[in-house]
Amino acid sequence: MNGSGNDRIYGIQLVRAILCLGIVIAHSFAYAEYNFEAIGPGAMDFWGRYALLNFTSVFFAIFGFFLSASIYRIDNESAEGTLSFLKKKFIRIYPVYWLEVVCAIMLRVIVQGGYTSSGSVFKSFLLLPLPNTPQVLSVEWTLLFEVLFFLVASLFASSKRKKWFPFAMGLWGAVIWIAVLTGKSDFSVQLTMPRILISGQVLYFILGVFLYYIYIYIYITSRTLSDVKNTWCLFDLCCIRSVCFKL
C-alpha cells in the first residue's frame, strides 16, 4: 500500500474470503436445521454463534479499516465532498439490494401465492433504521449498519474535515462503551434509532478505523515495506479476531 492507498492489502483480502465462506456455511447449516429433521439444533451451536455473529463482527472491523482508507486518501486535489462520497458508496449497495428484494418478493408471490409483512415494504428499500421496517431478505441487517457507517463517514469526506475523523470515532466509541457498561446498550443487533447509534456492534467498526490509522503510522515510519505488508497485516487481523471473540 503506497501513500495513496492504491495497493491491495492481500492479508485482509484473504481473511475476507475465508469469512465469506464461513458465513455461507453457517447459513447452510441454519437452512438444513430448519428444513431437515435429521439435522439437530446442536449443529448451529458452533456455526451460528461463532460464524454468523463473530464472522460478521470481523467484517465490520474490516469495513471500518477500508472506509478509513477512503477518508484518508481525500486530499486538496481530489476533494470528495459528502454527496459525492455517498454517491460512490451507495451505488455499490442499493442497486443490487433493490434487485434482490424485488426477486425475493416475486418468488414468495409465485411459490407461496402472496407476500405479507408486518410493516411497510417500501421502507425496506431505504436501508435506514426506521421503525416497523420489515427485513425482506432476513439478512440485510448488516447493510443497515454499513449504510450508517457510510453516512457518518461522509461527514468527514473533505480535505479539511478528514483530520477529525479518528477523533470523532474515538468519541463515538467512548459513548458506546459507557452505554454498554451502564446497561443502556449491549452487543445485540439493534436496528432502530437511536439505539443503533449506541449498539455494541458499532465498536467493531470503530476498531477497524483505529487499526487503519495504526497501520498507516507503521507504514510511514517503517522503511521495510515488505515487513509492513507481511507481518503487520497479520498482526492487526489477529487483534480484530481476538477482540471480537472476547467481547
Side-chain angles (χ1 to χ4, degrees):
M1 180 175 178
N2 57 25
S4 62
N6 291 326
D7 295 343
R8 287 182 179 273
I9 305 176
Y10 291 102
I12 295 182
Q13 299 292 356
L14 176 60
V15 171
R16 178 187 283 180
I18 295 173
L19 294 175
C20 285
L21 179 60
I23 291 177
V24 169
I25 294 174
H27 279 289
S28 299
F29 268 81
Y31 178 82
E33 177 185 330
Y34 297 144
N35 293 277
F36 299 98
E37 295 182 357
I39 304 296
M44 276 298 293
D45 286 348
F46 175 80
W47 290 107
R49 185 165 59 250
Y50 292 100
L52 284 177
L53 296 181
N54 287 295
F55 282 13
T56 301
S57 301
V58 180
F59 260 120
F60 282 165
I62 294 176
F63 185 85
F65 187 96
F66 285 111
L67 191 57
S68 298
S70 297
I71 298 295
Y72 183 84
R73 289 198 298 265
I74 298 174
D75 54 33
N76 293 324
E77 288 73 27
S78 59
E80 283 271 8
T82 297
L83 294 180
S84 176
F85 180 86
L86 288 176
K87 180 180 178 181
K88 291 180 179 179
K89 300 303 180 183
F90 283 179
I91 201 170
R92 300 179 182 180
I93 293 179
Y94 279 96
V96 175
Y97 169 70
W98 289 337
L99 178 61
E100 291 177 346
V101 169
V102 171
C103 289
I105 293 176
M106 291 178 62
L107 282 174
R108 293 186 185 181
V109 171
I110 295 172
V111 176
Q112 301 177 355
Y115 174 79
T116 58
S117 67
S118 57
S120 173
V121 177
F122 295 102
K123 286 184 179 181
S124 65
F125 284 90
L126 300 176
L127 277 178
L128 295 176
L130 303 174
N132 300 318
T133 301
Q135 293 194 47
V136 179
L137 305 179
S138 302
V139 293
E140 59 263 43
W141 66 272
T142 57
L143 294 179
L144 266 74
F145 276 97
E146 291 184 8
V147 169
L148 172 66
F149 301 151
F150 280 143
L151 290 171
V152 172
S154 70
L155 300 177
F156 304 89
S158 76
S159 57
K160 293 183 179 180
R161 297 193 301 268
K162 71 174 187 177
K163 63 182 178 181
W164 300 109
F165 182 60
F167 298 101
M169 294 301 98
L171 179 60
W172 192 10
V175 171
I176 294 174
W177 265 121
I178 294 174
V180 171
L181 293 176
T182 57
K184 302 296 184 181
S185 183
D186 53 35
F187 286 86
S188 62
V189 177
Q190 305 172 48
L191 300 179
T192 57
M193 292 289 284
R195 296 194 62 82
I196 191 173
L197 292 174
I198 57 172
S199 170
Q201 294 290 326
V202 177
L203 289 176
Y204 301 120
F205 166 75
I206 296 175
L207 172 64
V209 170
F210 282 105
L211 284 175
Y212 176 78
Y213 284 97
I214 294 173
Y215 174 85
I216 286 297
Y217 175 78
I218 296 294
Y219 179 88
I220 292 175
T221 58
S222 174
R223 290 294 180 265
T224 311
L225 301 187
S226 60
D227 290 343
V228 175
K229 288 185 178 181
N230 295 331
T231 60
W232 178 248
C233 288
L234 295 177
F235 174 74
D236 63 19
L237 287 171
C238 289
C239 290
I240 294 175
R241 193 169 177 80
S242 62
V243 170
C244 288
F245 275 86
K246 287 180 180 179
L247 292 177

